[in-house]
Amino acid sequence: MTKTIEALAGLCIQRNGTVRRSMNMGAVSLDAYVRMLAETVHRNNQISPLLPKEDFYEEAGRYAQSLLGEAAAGQIREALACGVICTADHHGAMYCSQSFQGDLLFSFLLKELAYGGTYVPILSAGQVELENATYARGISAYTSAEEKQLFPLFPAKHSVQLASHAAPVDGGMIDRFRKRFVEKEDYQPLKNTLDGICREIYGDPRVLSAPDFAVQTTAAGEILSHRLFAGDDGPVFAYLEIEEAVLPLLLKEMEDGSSLIRLFLTDPDMRRGLSKNRASDGSALADHLFRCTDEKGRKISLTLTPEGVLSGRDWNKEAVEIKADPGILTEMLITKKLLPGIFTTALILQFERGITWMGGQFQSLYLPEWQSLLKELLTDAGLSSEGALIGSYDCTGYISGPMFALYPGCGFSTTAGPVEMWMLKPSVEQIRELIRKTSLRDSHLIGLSEMYFDLVLRNEREENWYRLIAEDLYSDFPANRIEKEE
């Protein structure tokens, strides 16, 4: 193993406990790791939850049916009934290699749990900026040794708009994209692939007629999935915006005077308790209940105060205050002026219903911290049995981070995302074999360029770090290069 990649990985190990834990597991294969994750799901499924899982399966299935049709929704309900959801993705960021390879791992996890369908539901967060690192603003590609390539569809002025509030990609955007990236000779070997994506994905009537970017992403993801693998046995990813999928349950619980979310909003002792204890990043549960947006679809963070006000500041530093009245909040949720925060979503799905979350290197750390804070809050409030039940779940699920498939450049290798899969068309069996023979430790070295970007500040990064990693991956992991199927 080359010293450079080991040194860069060492800094990531220092910065993140999940990466450190995974690297310490040594030579366990990704195939065996997926079986370990399946055991986590089995254990969580054996715990009787506070509220029935089935109501989420039905509501999410109904949402999926409205977007993808009855046949797809039937499979999605069956997949959800395994009791686990992939929660690492950001809605619209379909071309991110780390997210995509995590989605592939999740598809194999569902198979390990005896799911026999083709559609793989991915519950993606919509409340992320288009310019987020996973890049919902456009298309990510990995065919350069110098850097991750970003090809924007949305103009720069939309960079900080939330994906959940973005208008759809339209014909004008595609025309400008083609003139900038497809009709020039600067972007070989990507030119034909970008042209194919424009024609076959964004030229499809279902995609062009979508009312907003969120609905468009779900349609585009289904079509994209059919273009990535040799044969017809590849997974079809159903990218469903998690805030929309969970909304019907949240609205019901807002009406229920005995629900936890209702108690959090209306009980003064509960409100004080939500602010009392803090996670390692300094935040309290009160900081993660809800978010709102301004007229441009930009996120505004809110904190529930002990006085019963959701308080924050907008982009002009002006105070934003919303009375935490369930009726007022319900109306704002329905109109998407208010969004359920990540903790509220986790409360409804993981903590109340015991549906296991499989996330990324950050979520697998903050979710157990929130679990501990919630258990303490409920115990202090005299709900010790509910707190003990919630505290019994394993919330460390981690599936988006380990990587196994490399694009074979000339003297370099980079992590392969959907663009590279479109170019190379591997078989599902080739993907399965890579998962069998790649260790969990090596998977983090293979995915180092994504982790290093996330965990190491710009002014701390090694000069030419991306190229150094790409060259080391070429020499160290020749067996992980995707081969084009003939």
Side-chain angles (χ1 to χ4, degrees):
M1 192 66 60
T2 48
K3 292 182 179 179
T4 300
I5 199 170
E6 288 280 6
L8 298 182
L11 193 52
C12 295
I13 292 169
Q14 293 175 23
R15 298 289 171 85
N16 185 272
T18 295
V19 174
R20 184 162 55 252
R21 182 176 69 241
S22 298
M23 295 290 277
N24 287 339
M25 291 175 70
V28 60
S29 70
L30 282 181
D31 191 42
Y33 178 66
V34 167
R35 291 195 294 273
M36 292 167 61
L37 295 179
E39 285 303 312
T40 297
V41 177
H42 283 309
R43 288 193 299 272
N44 283 346
N45 284 345
Q46 290 170 5
I47 300 169
S48 296
L50 292 175
L51 294 173
K53 296 178 170 71
E54 291 74 19
D55 55 359
F56 175 68
Y57 305 156
E58 183 57 36
E59 292 293 353
R62 189 177 293 118
Y63 174 49
Q65 183 170 335
S66 71
L67 299 177
L68 297 169
E70 184 175 352
Q75 291 192 31
I76 288 167
R77 286 189 184 94
E78 182 184 346
L80 292 170
C82 292
V84 60
I85 53 178
C86 183
T87 53
D89 285 36
H90 295 152
H91 209 60
M94 297 184 296
Y95 303 96
C96 172
S97 64
Q98 185 182 67
S99 297
F100 178 70
Q101 293 197 31
D103 297 345
L104 284 171
L105 276 181
F106 183 73
S107 73
F108 283 94
L109 172 60
L110 289 179
K111 289 183 182 298
E112 189 66 31
L113 294 167
Y115 172 60
T118 301
Y119 279 83
V120 176
I122 305 294
L123 279 295
S124 308
Q127 53 188 287
V128 292
E129 292 79 5
L130 293 177
E131 190 76 21
N132 182 276
T134 55
Y135 204 64
R137 186 185 160 201
I139 296 172
S140 301
Y142 301 84
T143 60
S144 168
E146 303 302 329
E147 62 182 354
K148 175 180 176 178
Q149 299 158 286
L150 303 177
F151 299 94
L153 288 163
F154 286 90
K157 66 181 180 179
H158 294 288
S159 295
V160 294
Q161 187 177 39
L162 297 187
S164 58
H165 285 62
V169 173
D170 59 29
M173 292 183 192
I174 296 301
D175 289 343
R176 289 190 293 273
F177 184 93
R178 292 180 63 86
K179 289 176 182 177
R180 186 174 176 186
F181 302 118
V182 177
E183 295 175 5
K184 294 183 178 181
E185 297 299 322
D186 302 4
Y187 297 103
Q188 297 292 2
L190 281 168
K191 182 177 177 179
N192 291 338
T193 301
L194 294 177
D195 180 53
I197 290 172
C198 286
R199 287 185 291 101
E200 297 183 41
I201 306 297
Y202 298 101
D204 187 281
R206 281 180 56 208
V207 175
L208 278 176
S209 63
D212 54 46
F213 183 57
V215 172
Q216 187 175 61
T217 294
T218 306
E222 181 184 34
I223 299 166
L224 176 67
S225 298
H226 289 293
R227 306 295 192 273
L228 302 182
F229 304 99
D232 57 2
D233 58 342
V236 179
F237 294 114
Y239 297 106
L240 304 172
E241 196 167 83
I242 194 168
E243 294 89 350
E244 284 295 309
V246 81
L247 182 60
L249 299 183
L250 174 57
L251 295 179
K252 288 178 184 177
E253 292 186 32
M254 295 278 281
E255 293 179 0
D256 182 355
S258 63
S259 73
L260 290 179
I261 188 65
R262 180 81 175 224
L263 290 174
F264 292 162
L265 294 172
T266 60
D267 186 283
D269 290 334
M270 282 288 196
R271 293 198 300 257
R272 282 190 289 272
L274 286 165
S275 299
K276 178 182 175 183
N277 296 317
R278 298 188 175 269
S280 59
D281 65 356
S283 68
L285 295 181
D287 301 325
H288 303 288
L289 287 169
F290 295 99
R291 292 168 171 172
C292 68
T293 59
D294 65 10
E295 69 283 355
K296 295 183 179 180
R298 299 178 298 186
K299 179 171 60 184
I300 300 172
S301 298
L302 299 171
T303 295
L304 179 62
T305 69
E307 294 73 32
V309 175
L310 288 169
S311 176
R313 292 195 175 275
D314 65 16
W315 284 68
N316 296 317
K317 307 298 182 184
E318 297 292 331
V320 175
E321 293 190 344
I322 304 167
K323 185 178 180 182
D325 175 271
I328 294 172
L329 301 188
T330 293
E331 179 60 30
M332 293 184 70
L333 286 164
I334 291 171
T335 57
K336 294 187 76 168
K337 294 177 181 176
L338 190 71
L339 296 169
I342 302 171
F343 169 70
T344 297
T345 305
L347 172 70
I348 291 171
L349 300 182
Q350 171 75 78
F351 301 138
E352 291 183 332
R353 288 170 176 79
I355 299 170
T356 304
W357 282 31
M358 289 291 162
Q361 61 193 7
F362 299 114
Q363 185 185 103
S364 54
L365 294 176
Y366 67 66
L367 207 61
E369 287 197 58
W370 291 352
Q371 177 188 34
S372 179
L373 293 176
L374 178 58
K375 178 182 177 180
E376 184 174 357
L377 169 65
L378 295 178
T379 301
D380 290 345
L383 301 172
S384 55
S385 60
E386 289 87 346
L389 190 154
I390 287 170
S392 64
Y393 292 117
D394 185 335
C395 299
T396 61
Y398 169 55
I399 207 161
S400 184
M403 300 179 76
F404 47 86
L406 291 171
Y407 170 78
C410 184
F412 71 92
S413 292
T414 49
T415 54
V419 167
E420 292 69 37
M421 296 288 182
W422 183 300
M423 296 169 67
L424 299 171
K425 296 289 191 297
S427 65
V428 172
E429 182 53 41
Q430 187 180 161
I431 297 298
R432 184 181 290 110
E433 184 59 26
L434 289 177
I435 291 171
R436 287 194 191 109
K437 68 186 182 185
T438 302
S439 73
L440 184 59
R441 184 180 188 280
D442 285 349
S443 75
H444 284 74
L445 295 175
I446 289 170
L448 182 58
S449 58
E450 295 290 289
M451 286 190 301
Y452 191 79
F453 181 85
D454 282 337
L455 296 174
V456 181
L457 297 175
R458 185 185 298 272
N459 62 356
E460 297 178 305
R461 294 174 195 157
E462 187 80 18
E463 187 176 359
N464 297 323
W465 62 272
Y466 194 93
R467 172 172 277 280
L468 292 172
I469 292 172
E471 290 176 348
D472 280 2
L473 293 180
Y474 183 81
S475 61
D476 291 347
F477 298 103
N480 288 86
R481 299 175 205 157
I482 292 288
E483 298 177 3
K484 187 175 179 63
E485 294 283 331
E486 299 300 333

Coordinates of all heavy atoms in Angstrom, one line a residue, residues 253-320:
E253 N -49.7 12.9 13.7 CA -49.2 13.0 15.1 C -49.3 14.4 15.7 O -49.4 14.6 16.9 CB -47.7 12.5 15.1 CG -47.6 11.0 14.9 CD -46.2 10.4 15.0 OE1 -45.5 10.9 15.9 OE2 -45.9 9.5 14.3
M254 N -49.3 15.4 14.8 CA -49.5 16.7 15.2 C -51.0 16.9 15.8 O -51.2 17.7 16.7 CB -49.3 17.7 14.1 CG -47.9 17.8 13.5 SD -46.8 18.8 14.5 CE -47.3 20.4 13.8
E255 N -51.9 16.1 15.3 CA -53.3 16.2 15.8 C -53.5 15.4 17.0 O -54.4 15.6 17.8 CB -54.2 15.6 14.7 CG -54.3 16.5 13.4 CD -55.2 15.8 12.4 OE1 -55.8 14.8 12.7 OE2 -55.4 16.4 11.3
D256 N -52.6 14.4 17.3 CA -52.8 13.5 18.4 C -52.2 14.2 19.7 O -51.0 14.4 19.8 CB -52.0 12.2 18.1 CG -52.2 11.2 19.2 OD1 -52.8 11.5 20.3 OD2 -51.7 10.0 19.1
G257 N -53.1 14.5 20.6 CA -52.6 15.2 21.8 C -51.6 14.4 22.7 O -50.9 15.0 23.5
S258 N -51.5 13.1 22.5 CA -50.6 12.3 23.3 C -49.3 11.9 22.6 O -48.5 11.2 23.2 CB -51.3 11.0 23.8 OG -51.7 10.2 22.6
S259 N -49.2 12.4 21.4 CA -48.0 12.0 20.6 C -46.8 12.7 21.1 O -46.9 13.8 21.8 CB -48.2 12.3 19.1 OG -48.1 13.7 18.9
L260 N -45.6 12.2 20.9 CA -44.4 12.8 21.4 C -44.2 14.2 20.8 O -43.8 15.2 21.4 CB -43.2 11.9 21.1 CG -43.1 10.7 22.0 CD1 -41.9 9.8 21.6 CD2 -43.1 11.0 23.5
I261 N -44.4 14.3 19.5 CA -44.1 15.6 18.8 C -45.1 16.6 19.3 O -44.7 17.8 19.5 CB -44.2 15.5 17.3 CG1 -43.8 16.7 16.6 CG2 -45.6 15.1 16.8 CD1 -42.3 17.1 16.8
R262 N -46.3 16.3 19.6 CA -47.3 17.2 20.2 C -46.9 17.6 21.6 O -47.0 18.8 21.9 CB -48.7 16.5 20.2 CG -49.8 17.4 20.8 CD -50.3 18.4 19.8 NE -51.5 19.1 20.3 CZ -52.6 19.3 19.6 NH1 -52.7 18.8 18.4 NH2 -53.6 20.0 20.1
L263 N -46.4 16.7 22.4 CA -45.9 17.0 23.7 C -44.7 18.0 23.6 O -44.6 18.9 24.4 CB -45.5 15.8 24.5 CG -46.7 14.9 24.9 CD1 -46.1 13.6 25.5 CD2 -47.6 15.6 25.9
F264 N -43.8 17.7 22.7 CA -42.6 18.6 22.5 C -43.0 20.0 22.3 O -42.4 21.0 22.7 CB -41.7 18.1 21.4 CG -41.1 16.8 21.7 CD1 -40.5 16.0 20.7 CD2 -41.0 16.3 23.0 CE1 -39.9 14.8 20.9 CE2 -40.3 15.0 23.2 CZ -39.8 14.3 22.2
L265 N -44.1 20.2 21.5 CA -44.5 21.5 21.1 C -45.3 22.2 22.2 O -45.2 23.5 22.3 CB -45.4 21.4 19.8 CG -44.6 21.0 18.5 CD1 -45.6 20.8 17.4 CD2 -43.5 22.0 18.1
T266 N -46.1 21.5 23.0 CA -47.1 22.1 23.8 C -46.7 22.0 25.3 O -47.3 22.8 26.1 CB -48.4 21.5 23.6 OG1 -48.4 20.1 23.9 CG2 -48.9 21.7 22.2
D267 N -45.9 21.1 25.7 CA -45.6 21.0 27.2 C -44.4 21.8 27.5 O -43.3 21.5 27.0 CB -45.3 19.5 27.5 CG -45.2 19.2 28.9 OD1 -44.1 19.5 29.5 OD2 -46.1 18.7 29.6
P268 N -44.5 22.7 28.5 CA -43.3 23.6 28.8 C -42.1 22.8 29.4 O -41.0 23.2 29.1 CB -43.9 24.5 29.9 CG -45.4 24.5 29.6 CD -45.7 23.2 29.1
D269 N -42.4 21.8 30.2 CA -41.3 21.0 30.7 C -40.5 20.3 29.6 O -39.3 20.2 29.6 CB -41.8 20.0 31.7 CG -42.3 20.7 33.0 OD1 -41.8 21.8 33.3 OD2 -43.1 20.1 33.7
M270 N -41.3 19.7 28.6 CA -40.7 19.1 27.5 C -39.9 20.1 26.7 O -38.7 19.8 26.2 CB -41.7 18.5 26.6 CG -42.3 17.1 27.1 SD -41.1 15.8 26.9 CE -42.2 14.4 27.1
R271 N -40.4 21.3 26.4 CA -39.7 22.3 25.7 C -38.4 22.6 26.3 O -37.3 22.8 25.7 CB -40.5 23.5 25.4 CG -41.7 23.3 24.5 CD -42.3 24.6 24.0 NE -42.7 25.5 25.1 CZ -44.0 25.7 25.4 NH1 -45.0 25.0 24.8 NH2 -44.3 26.5 26.4
R272 N -38.4 22.8 27.7 CA -37.2 23.1 28.4 C -36.2 21.9 28.3 O -35.0 22.1 28.1 CB -37.5 23.4 29.9 CG -38.0 24.8 30.1 CD -38.1 25.1 31.6 NE -39.1 24.3 32.3 CZ -40.4 24.8 32.4 NH1 -40.8 25.9 31.9 NH2 -41.3 24.0 33.0
G273 N -36.7 20.7 28.3 CA -35.9 19.5 28.2 C -35.2 19.4 26.9 O -34.1 18.9 26.8
L274 N -35.9 19.8 25.8 CA -35.3 19.7 24.5 C -34.1 20.6 24.3 O -33.2 20.4 23.5 CB -36.4 20.1 23.5 CG -37.5 19.1 23.2 CD1 -38.6 19.7 22.4 CD2 -36.9 17.9 22.4
S275 N -34.0 21.6 25.2 CA -32.9 22.6 25.1 C -31.8 22.3 26.1 O -30.7 22.9 26.1 CB -33.4 24.0 25.3 OG -34.2 24.4 24.2
K276 N -32.1 21.4 27.1 CA -31.3 21.2 28.3 C -29.9 20.6 27.9 O -28.8 21.1 28.3 CB -32.0 20.4 29.3 CG -31.2 20.1 30.6 CD -32.0 19.2 31.5 CE -31.2 18.8 32.7 NZ -31.9 17.9 33.6
N277 N -29.9 19.4 27.3 CA -28.7 18.7 27.0 C -28.3 18.8 25.6 O -29.1 19.0 24.7 CB -28.8 17.2 27.4 CG -29.1 17.1 28.9 OD1 -28.4 17.7 29.7 ND2 -30.1 16.2 29.3
R278 N -27.0 18.7 25.3 CA -26.5 19.0 24.0 C -25.6 17.8 23.5 O -24.9 17.1 24.2 CB -25.7 20.3 24.0 CG -26.6 21.4 24.3 CD -26.0 22.8 24.2 NE -27.0 23.8 24.5 CZ -27.8 24.3 23.5 NH1 -27.7 24.0 22.3 NH2 -28.7 25.2 23.8
A279 N -25.6 17.7 22.1 CA -24.8 16.7 21.5 C -23.3 17.2 21.4 O -23.0 18.3 21.8 CB -25.3 16.4 20.1
S280 N -22.4 16.4 20.9 CA -21.0 16.7 20.8 C -20.7 17.9 19.9 O -19.7 18.6 20.1 CB -20.2 15.5 20.3 OG -20.6 15.1 19.0
D281 N -21.6 18.2 19.0 CA -21.4 19.4 18.2 C -22.0 20.7 18.8 O -22.0 21.8 18.2 CB -22.1 19.2 16.8 CG -23.6 19.1 16.8 OD1 -24.2 19.1 17.9 OD2 -24.2 19.0 15.7
G282 N -22.5 20.6 20.0 CA -23.1 21.7 20.7 C -24.5 22.0 20.5 O -25.1 22.9 21.2
S283 N -25.2 21.3 19.6 CA -26.6 21.5 19.3 C -27.5 20.7 20.3 O -27.1 19.7 20.8 CB -26.9 21.1 17.9 OG -26.8 19.7 17.7
A284 N -28.7 21.2 20.4 CA -29.7 20.5 21.3 C -30.8 19.9 20.3 O -30.9 20.3 19.2 CB -30.3 21.5 22.3
L285 N -31.6 19.0 20.8 CA -32.7 18.5 20.0 C -33.6 19.6 19.6 O -34.2 19.5 18.5 CB -33.5 17.4 20.8 CG -32.7 16.2 21.2 CD1 -33.6 15.2 22.0 CD2 -32.1 15.5 20.0
A286 N -33.8 20.6 20.4 CA -34.7 21.8 20.0 C -34.2 22.4 18.7 O -35.0 23.1 18.1 CB -34.7 22.8 21.1
D287 N -32.9 22.2 18.3 CA -32.4 22.9 17.1 C -32.7 22.1 15.8 O -32.5 22.6 14.7 CB -30.9 23.0 17.2 CG -30.5 23.8 18.4 OD1 -31.2 24.8 18.7 OD2 -29.4 23.5 19.0
H288 N -33.3 20.9 16.0 CA -33.4 20.0 14.8 C -34.9 19.6 14.6 O -35.1 18.6 13.8 CB -32.6 18.7 15.0 CG -31.1 19.0 15.2 ND1 -30.3 19.5 14.2 CD2 -30.3 19.0 16.3 CE1 -29.1 19.7 14.7 NE2 -29.1 19.4 16.0
L289 N -35.8 20.3 15.2 CA -37.2 19.9 15.0 C -37.8 20.3 13.7 O -38.5 19.5 13.0 CB -38.1 20.5 16.1 CG -37.9 19.8 17.5 CD1 -38.6 20.7 18.6 CD2 -38.5 18.4 17.5
F290 N -37.6 21.6 13.3 CA -38.2 22.1 12.1 C -37.2 23.1 11.4 O -36.3 23.7 12.1 CB -39.5 22.8 12.4 CG -40.6 21.9 12.8 CD1 -40.9 21.8 14.2 CD2 -41.4 21.2 12.0 CE1 -41.9 21.0 14.7 CE2 -42.4 20.3 12.4 CZ -42.6 20.3 13.8
R291 N -37.4 23.3 10.1 CA -36.8 24.3 9.4 C -37.8 25.0 8.5 O -38.8 24.4 8.2 CB -35.6 23.8 8.5 CG -34.5 23.2 9.3 CD -33.5 22.4 8.4 NE -32.3 22.1 9.0 CZ -31.4 21.3 8.6 NH1 -31.6 20.7 7.4 NH2 -30.3 21.0 9.2
C292 N -37.5 26.3 8.1 CA -38.4 26.9 7.2 C -37.6 27.5 6.1 O -36.4 27.4 6.0 CB -39.3 28.0 7.9 SG -38.4 29.4 8.5
T293 N -38.3 28.0 5.1 CA -37.7 28.6 3.9 C -38.2 30.0 3.7 O -39.2 30.4 4.1 CB -38.0 27.8 2.7 OG1 -39.4 27.7 2.4 CG2 -37.4 26.3 2.8
D294 N -37.3 30.8 3.0 CA -37.8 32.1 2.6 C -38.4 32.1 1.2 O -38.6 31.0 0.6 CB -36.6 33.1 2.6 CG -35.5 32.8 1.6 OD1 -35.7 31.9 0.7 OD2 -34.4 33.4 1.7
E295 N -38.7 33.2 0.6 CA -39.4 33.2 -0.7 C -38.6 32.7 -1.8 O -39.1 32.4 -2.9 CB -39.9 34.7 -1.0 CG -38.8 35.7 -1.3 CD -38.0 36.2 -0.1 OE1 -38.4 35.8 1.1 OE2 -37.0 36.9 -0.2
K296 N -37.3 32.6 -1.6 CA -36.4 32.0 -2.7 C -36.1 30.6 -2.5 O -35.3 30.0 -3.2 CB -35.1 32.9 -2.8 CG -35.3 34.3 -3.2 CD -34.0 35.0 -3.3 CE -34.2 36.5 -3.8 NZ -32.9 37.2 -3.9
G297 N -36.8 29.9 -1.5 CA -36.5 28.5 -1.2 C -35.2 28.3 -0.5 O -34.7 27.2 -0.6
R298 N -34.7 29.3 0.2 CA -33.5 29.1 1.0 C -33.8 28.7 2.4 O -34.7 29.2 3.0 CB -32.7 30.4 0.9 CG -32.3 30.8 -0.5 CD -31.5 32.1 -0.5 NE -32.3 33.2 0.0 CZ -31.9 34.5 0.0 NH1 -30.7 34.8 -0.5 NH2 -32.7 35.5 0.5
K299 N -32.9 27.9 3.0 CA -33.2 27.3 4.3 C -33.0 28.3 5.4 O -32.0 29.1 5.4 CB -32.3 26.1 4.5 CG -32.4 25.4 5.8 CD -31.6 24.1 5.9 CE -30.1 24.3 5.6 NZ -29.4 23.1 5.5
I300 N -33.9 28.2 6.4 CA -33.7 29.0 7.6 C -33.8 28.0 8.8 O -34.8 27.3 9.0 CB -34.8 30.1 7.8 CG1 -34.8 31.1 6.6 CG2 -34.7 30.8 9.1 CD1 -36.0 32.0 6.5
S301 N -32.7 28.0 9.6 CA -32.7 27.1 10.8 C -33.6 27.7 11.9 O -33.6 28.9 12.1 CB -31.3 26.9 11.2 OG -30.5 26.2 10.2
L302 N -34.2 26.8 12.6 CA -35.1 27.2 13.7 C -34.8 26.4 15.0 O -34.4 25.3 14.9 CB -36.6 27.0 13.3 CG -37.1 27.7 12.1 CD1 -38.5 27.2 11.7 CD2 -37.2 29.2 12.3
T303 N -35.0 27.1 16.1 CA -34.9 26.5 17.4 C -36.2 26.7 18.2 O -36.7 27.8 18.2 CB -33.7 27.1 18.2 OG1 -32.5 26.9 17.5 CG2 -33.6 26.6 19.6
L304 N -36.6 25.6 18.8 CA -37.8 25.7 19.6 C -37.4 26.2 21.0 O -36.7 25.6 21.7 CB -38.5 24.3 19.8 CG -39.8 24.3 20.7 CD1 -40.9 25.2 20.1 CD2 -40.3 22.9 20.9
T305 N -37.9 27.4 21.4 CA -37.5 28.0 22.6 C -38.4 27.4 23.8 O -39.5 26.9 23.5 CB -37.7 29.5 22.6 OG1 -39.1 29.8 22.5 CG2 -37.0 30.1 21.4
P306 N -38.0 27.5 25.0 CA -38.8 27.1 26.1 C -40.1 27.8 26.2 O -41.1 27.3 26.8 CB -37.9 27.4 27.3 CG -36.5 27.3 26.8 CD -36.6 27.9 25.4
E307 N -40.2 29.0 25.6 CA -41.5 29.8 25.6 C -42.4 29.3 24.5 O -43.5 29.9 24.4 CB -41.1 31.3 25.4 CG -40.4 31.9 26.5 CD -38.9 31.5 26.6 OE1 -38.3 31.2 25.5 OE2 -38.3 31.4 27.7
G308 N -42.0 28.4 23.7 CA -43.0 27.9 22.7 C -42.9 28.6 21.4 O -44.0 28.8 20.7
V309 N -41.8 29.1 21.0 CA -41.6 29.8 19.7 C -40.5 29.1 18.9 O -39.4 28.8 19.4 CB -41.2 31.3 19.9 CG1 -41.0 32.0 18.6 CG2 -42.4 32.0 20.7
L310 N -40.7 28.9 17.6 CA -39.7 28.5 16.7 C -38.9 29.7 16.2 O -39.5 30.6 15.6 CB -40.2 27.7 15.5 CG -40.8 26.3 15.8 CD1 -41.6 25.8 14.7 CD2 -39.6 25.4 16.2
S311 N -37.7 29.9 16.6 CA -37.0 31.1 16.4 C -35.7 30.9 15.6 O -35.0 29.9 15.7 CB -36.6 31.7 17.8 OG -35.8 32.8 17.7
G312 N -35.5 31.9 14.7 CA -34.3 31.8 13.8 C -34.0 33.2 13.2 O -34.7 34.2 13.5
R313 N -33.1 33.2 12.2 CA -32.8 34.4 11.5 C -32.7 34.1 10.0 O -32.2 33.0 9.6 CB -31.5 35.0 12.0 CG -31.6 35.6 13.4 CD -30.5 36.5 13.7 NE -30.7 37.1 15.1 CZ -31.5 38.2 15.3 NH1 -32.1 38.8 14.3 NH2 -31.7 38.7 16.5
D314 N -33.3 35.0 9.2 CA -33.3 34.8 7.7 C -32.0 35.2 7.1 O -31.0 35.6 7.9 CB -34.5 35.5 7.1 CG -34.4 37.0 7.2 OD1 -33.3 37.5 7.5 OD2 -35.5 37.6 7.0
W315 N -31.9 35.2 5.8 CA -30.6 35.5 5.1 C -30.2 37.0 5.3 O -29.1 37.3 5.0 CB -30.8 35.1 3.7 CG -30.6 33.6 3.5 CD1 -31.5 32.7 4.0 CD2 -29.6 32.9 2.9 NE1 -31.1 31.4 3.7 CE2 -29.9 31.5 3.1 CE3 -28.4 33.2 2.3 CZ2 -29.0 30.5 2.6 CZ3 -27.5 32.2 1.9 CH2 -27.9 30.9 2.0
N316 N -31.2 37.8 5.7 CA -30.8 39.2 5.9 C -30.6 39.5 7.4 O -30.6 40.6 7.9 CB -32.0 40.1 5.4 CG -32.2 40.0 3.9 OD1 -31.2 40.0 3.2 ND2 -33.4 39.9 3.5
K317 N -30.5 38.4 8.2 CA -30.2 38.5 9.7 C -31.4 39.0 10.4 O -31.3 39.4 11.6 CB -29.0 39.3 10.0 CG -27.7 38.9 9.3 CD -27.3 37.5 9.6 CE -26.0 37.1 8.9 NZ -25.6 35.7 9.1
E318 N -32.6 39.0 9.8 CA -33.8 39.5 10.4 C -34.4 38.3 11.2 O -34.3 37.2 10.8 CB -34.8 40.0 9.4 CG -34.4 41.2 8.6 CD -34.3 42.4 9.4 OE1 -35.0 42.5 10.4 OE2 -33.4 43.3 9.1
A319 N -35.0 38.6 12.4 CA -35.6 37.6 13.2 C -36.8 36.9 12.5 O -37.6 37.6 11.9 CB -36.0 38.2 14.6
V320 N -36.8 35.6 12.7 CA -38.0 34.8 12.2 C -38.5 34.1 13.5 O -37.8 33.4 14.2 CB -37.6 33.8 11.2 CG1 -38.8 32.9 10.8 CG2 -37.0 34.5 9.9

